[in-house]
Each structure stands twice: as structure tokens, then as C-alpha cells.
Amino acid sequence: MKTKKCPMCGGRIKIYYDHEAGDEVYCEECEREFQLISLTPIRLDLVERYEDHNYRVNEY
Ligand SMILES: [Zn+2]
């Protein structure tokens, strides 16, 4: 397992060896979610949750 420094708060983000590009990981400190863009080097993209929330509201 590797850890990546969170670009938002400086906390730890765990990257497991079975993670692949496109997987979602999260920061232990601020609990933001990130999508893995690539593993070598590790690149992360912040996942915004606002759209997901609206999606759930529409679903139910
Ligand atoms: Zn963070």
C-alpha cells in the first residue's frame, strides 16, 4: 500500500496495490473522495459529490 498526500488538506490517502486507474479513493482527514487518474505517477482528481446528491434525490 502506498499513501498519497491529500491535495486539499495534506492528509493521507491510501492507495492499495489492487487499485486501478478510475477507482475512487478517499482522504482519511477531510473525507473527500478522489478518482485515480493514473498510478505511475499517482494522479488524483477530486470527485465532487453535489451532482451525486441531486441524482439520489431524483431517484427516490
Ligand atoms: Zn484531505
Side-chain angles (χ1 to χ4, degrees), residues 3 23-25 28 30 39-43 53-55 58-59:
T3 57
D23 283 352
E24 288 183 2
V25 294
E28 290 185 337
C30 65
L39 283 166
T40 49
I42 294 171
R43 290 180 57 203
H53 187 69
N54 289 336
Y55 179 74
N58 292 337
E59 194 176 3

Side-chain angles (χ1 to χ4, degrees), residues 25-54:
V25 294
Y26 76 97
C27 171
E28 290 185 337
E29 300 295 326
C30 65
E31 297 186 339
R32 285 188 174 90
E33 289 187 59
F34 297 87
Q35 187 174 44
L36 269 172
I37 303 301
S38 75
L39 283 166
T40 49
I42 294 171
R43 290 180 57 203
L44 300 172
D45 193 23
L46 178 64
V47 176
E48 297 288 351
R49 281 292 166 196
Y50 304 108
E51 286 182 38
D52 277 7
H53 187 69
N54 289 336

